[in-house]
Amino acid sequence: MEGYRLWMGFLALMLLGSCKGDKEVYVWKSLEVDVSAYNSVPSQTDGLPNLAAWGDTLKPGMKCIAVSRDLIGMGLDHDTQVRIHGLEGIYVVKDKMHRRWKNRIDIYMGKNVKEAREWGRRKLLIEYRVEKDTLSEIKNE
């Protein structure tokens, strides 16, 4: 009986997902930004090294980034998925940078300060995922 309920739940989710048709709900936008790195260590934070600006807890090994606040209005908001040219996998926006930074992201590198320093600062192409409906909202702001 439990297997039947699980199967029916799965089927219901599949049907709900297909109600939007075959149209892609998301698009990937490209942007060239300055990319640096940061760590969850006291010397780089306001006090609680593992607490990100949106309240997320950062843990070494997470694939996440901080974004400059000007990029938030362009669609790089909390939990946005990001691909960084030259790096494997998907990163997620979990933190905001100080207001002084513009057109910039920071890659989270846990507590490995040496790795972050070796990364330095680079200008790279990123792609970030936004819902199609929000594209018109972003353009109208």
Side-chain angles (χ1 to χ4, degrees):
M1 187 63 156
E2 186 63 30
Y4 176 75
R5 286 186 192 157
L6 287 172
W7 174 248
M8 292 307 289
F10 175 75
L11 185 59
L13 285 173
M14 294 299 292
L15 289 172
L16 284 173
S18 66
C19 288
K20 294 182 179 182
D22 291 336
K23 295 181 183 177
E24 184 66 32
V25 178
Y26 294 93
V27 295
W28 289 89
K29 293 185 68 175
S30 298
L31 182 66
E32 189 175 65
V33 296
D34 287 323
V35 182
S36 51
Y38 77 114
N39 309 100
S40 52
V41 294
S43 63
Q44 295 182 26
T45 65
D46 294 345
L48 297 171
N50 293 348
L51 186 62
W54 273 294
D56 296 287
T57 299
L58 302 178
K59 297 176 185 165
M62 292 176 74
K63 285 189 171 233
C64 59
I65 63 172
V67 296
S68 57
R69 293 168 191 254
D70 60 319
L71 298 179
I72 295 169
M74 297 174 68
L76 278 152
D77 203 353
H78 183 243
D79 285 338
T80 299
Q81 294 181 352
V82 178
R83 294 187 291 221
I84 302 169
H85 182 75
L87 297 179
E88 298 263 335
I90 302 286
Y91 290 75
V92 180
V93 176
K94 291 291 184 185
D95 208 352
K96 302 179 219 182
M97 299 171 77
H98 190 278
R99 295 184 193 287
R100 73 176 173 260
W101 302 116
K102 303 286 183 216
N103 197 47
R104 186 170 176 167
I105 69 168
D106 265 353
I107 300 170
Y108 177 63
M109 295 192 174
K111 297 184 185 292
N112 193 336
V113 176
K114 182 180 178 192
E115 182 183 16
R117 285 190 179 136
E118 287 173 358
W119 172 267
R121 185 173 157 198
R122 309 170 189 191
K123 195 172 251 341
L124 292 175
L125 185 68
I126 64 168
E127 295 176 309
Y128 59 102
R129 190 176 131 166
V130 293
E131 288 185 49
K132 281 187 175 182
D133 293 343
T134 60
L135 287 176
S136 60
E137 294 171 20
I138 292 168
K139 289 177 185 175
N140 294 331
E141 288 179 353

